[in-house]
């Protein structure tokens, strides 16, 4: 049986959350983001993104419907929280006569792996505590984000009998994320990326009406594949430095893994092939182990 464990977000990730509250919040988010809010109900959530007209990522986030007219946006802020500010500013830029307001959510987040009542993409609220159950896609196993005042974190650990359990270390979190082939702000998710290139297809709802960047994404799929693809690499020896760019693409994340290294790279589609051998800068060799999908299976 897998043990329940806790973690705090990695240094420099600066996770934050804010709410949009009002009768027009749902329609606005449906119109502006890649998520299909018509499929959401109170207590449910979905990964989502806000794109510009060129299909580039203005913000990648988790979107939760807390109540009929209340939504929570939870996102990784990156260095000094810049990504959270960019997302918030972009949402405000296109907000005119719609009736809703933005409310910052206080508290700090605690991550729980293998939460005993885990249900993917469900959320619960009790007072100031908000419990967000994610899928296993990001770290390869079920996990839950609990937003609560810092003064409650000890009580949460005691409730889950975590007081004597060692936290998941940051290096292990990064290894799990890389093996799960999941992108991170300031690594794979940048202002130049589109969601199909960096493995965020699950953030883009199929058969949804118009939203900024939709035509670009549909054209990419109709042409056969994005020009670049997110790939998991494996190699022998110490993890190479990141970020590193070379002719085939860009190395964005890397960690040591028992005498080898695992890494994420955004490669040209001609190199993004499982089993493809690569020579990285400095003569380091690696092999493409997996390629992130850019469209749903038929």
């Amino acid at each position: 049986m897998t043990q329940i464990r806790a973690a705090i977000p990695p240094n420099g990730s600066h996770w934050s959350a804010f709410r949009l509250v009002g009768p027009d919040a749902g329609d606005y988010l449906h119109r502006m983001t890649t998520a299909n809010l018509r499929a959401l109900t109170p207590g449910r959530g979905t990964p989502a993104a806000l794109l510009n007209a060129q299909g580039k990522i203005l913000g990648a986030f988790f979107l939760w419907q807390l109540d009929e007219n209340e939504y929570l946006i939870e996102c990784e802020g990156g260095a000094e929280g810049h990504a959270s500010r960019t997302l918030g500013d972009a949402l405000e830029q296109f907000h005119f006569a719609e009736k809703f307001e933005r409310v910052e959510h206080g508290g700090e987040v605690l991550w729980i792996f293998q939460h005993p009542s885990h249900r993917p993409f469900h959320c619960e609220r009790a007072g100031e505590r908000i419990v967000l159950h994610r899928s296993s896609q990001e770290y390869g196993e079920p996990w839950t984000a609990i937003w609560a005042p810092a003064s409650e974190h000890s009580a949460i650990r005691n409730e889950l009998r975590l007081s004597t359990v060692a936290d998941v270390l940051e290096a292990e979190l990064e290894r799990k994320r890389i093996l799960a082939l999941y992108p991170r702000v300031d690594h794979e998710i940048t202002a130049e990326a589109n969601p199909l290139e960096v493995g965020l297809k699950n953030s883009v709802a199929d058969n949804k009406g118009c939203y900024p960047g939709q035509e670009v994404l549909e054209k990419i799929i109709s042409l056969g594949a994005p020009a670049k693809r997110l790939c998991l690499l494996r190699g022998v020896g110490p993890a190479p430095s990141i970020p590193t760019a070379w002719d085939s693409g860009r190395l964005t994340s890397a960690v040591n893994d028992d005498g080898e290294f695992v890494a994420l790279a955004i490669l040209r589609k001609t190199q993004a092939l499982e089993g493809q051998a690569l020579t990285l800068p400095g003569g380091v060799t690696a092999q493409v182990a997996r390629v992130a999908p850019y469209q749903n299976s038929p």
Side-chain angles (χ1 to χ4, degrees), residues 71-136:
Y71 297 83
L72 180 76
I73 290 175
E74 183 195 27
C75 58
E76 181 182 6
E80 304 303 324
H82 73 92
S84 302
R85 291 192 298 273
T86 297
L87 172 61
D89 291 347
L91 287 171
E92 285 293 334
Q93 179 183 355
F94 301 105
H95 173 203
F96 299 106
E98 297 88 358
K99 296 179 180 178
F100 67 83
E101 62 176 340
R102 173 178 169 174
V103 180
E104 297 298 328
H105 183 73
E108 298 181 12
V109 69
L110 180 66
W111 292 355
I112 306 296
F113 288 83
Q114 303 289 342
H115 191 285
S117 63
H118 184 272
R119 293 187 300 161
F121 296 122
H122 281 73
C123 63
E124 307 149 16
R125 177 166 57 177
E128 295 183 82
R129 185 184 301 185
I130 298 180
V131 181
L132 309 172
H133 299 294
R134 306 269 186 75
S135 72
S136 59

Side-chain angles (χ1 to χ4, degrees), residues 214-230:
Q214 180 190 26
E215 291 184 1
V216 175
L217 300 192
E218 290 183 348
K219 183 176 181 179
I220 289 171
I221 292 175
S222 69
L223 291 174
K228 296 177 283 188
R229 304 281 298 278
L230 179 65

Side-chain angles (χ1 to χ4, degrees), residues 57-188:
I57 298 173
L58 293 174
F61 51 95
F62 290 87
L63 176 60
W64 307 88
Q65 185 172 4
L66 300 179
D67 209 338
E68 182 179 1
N69 296 318
E70 185 175 7
Y71 297 83
L72 180 76
I73 290 175
E74 183 195 27
C75 58
E76 181 182 6
E80 304 303 324
H82 73 92
S84 302
R85 291 192 298 273
T86 297
L87 172 61
D89 291 347
L91 287 171
E92 285 293 334
Q93 179 183 355
F94 301 105
H95 173 203
F96 299 106
E98 297 88 358
K99 296 179 180 178
F100 67 83
E101 62 176 340
R102 173 178 169 174
V103 180
E104 297 298 328
H105 183 73
E108 298 181 12
V109 69
L110 180 66
W111 292 355
I112 306 296
F113 288 83
Q114 303 289 342
H115 191 285
S117 63
H118 184 272
R119 293 187 300 161
F121 296 122
H122 281 73
C123 63
E124 307 149 16
R125 177 166 57 177
E128 295 183 82
R129 185 184 301 185
I130 298 180
V131 181
L132 309 172
H133 299 294
R134 306 269 186 75
S135 72
S136 59
Q137 182 183 8
E138 298 85 22
Y139 289 101
E141 61 177 297
W143 66 294
T144 297
I146 301 179
W147 287 86
S151 58
E152 289 190 20
H153 283 202
S154 292
I156 293 169
R157 289 174 179 269
N158 289 334
E159 289 168 18
L160 296 172
R161 300 181 180 178
L162 291 170
S163 56
T164 60
V165 176
D167 283 1
V168 183
L169 299 178
E170 182 171 344
E172 178 65 7
L173 279 176
E174 187 69 350
R175 188 185 74 86
K176 285 178 173 292
R177 180 187 72 84
I178 289 173
L179 289 173
L181 197 56
Y182 195 78
R184 180 179 170 188
V185 168
D186 291 336
H187 291 247
E188 296 75 35

Side-chain angles (χ1 to χ4, degrees), residues 245-262:
W246 77 107
D247 290 345
S248 296
R250 183 166 58 93
L251 197 70
T252 53
S253 300
V255 294
N256 295 311
D257 186 34
D258 195 21
E260 301 181 335
F261 69 85
V262 290

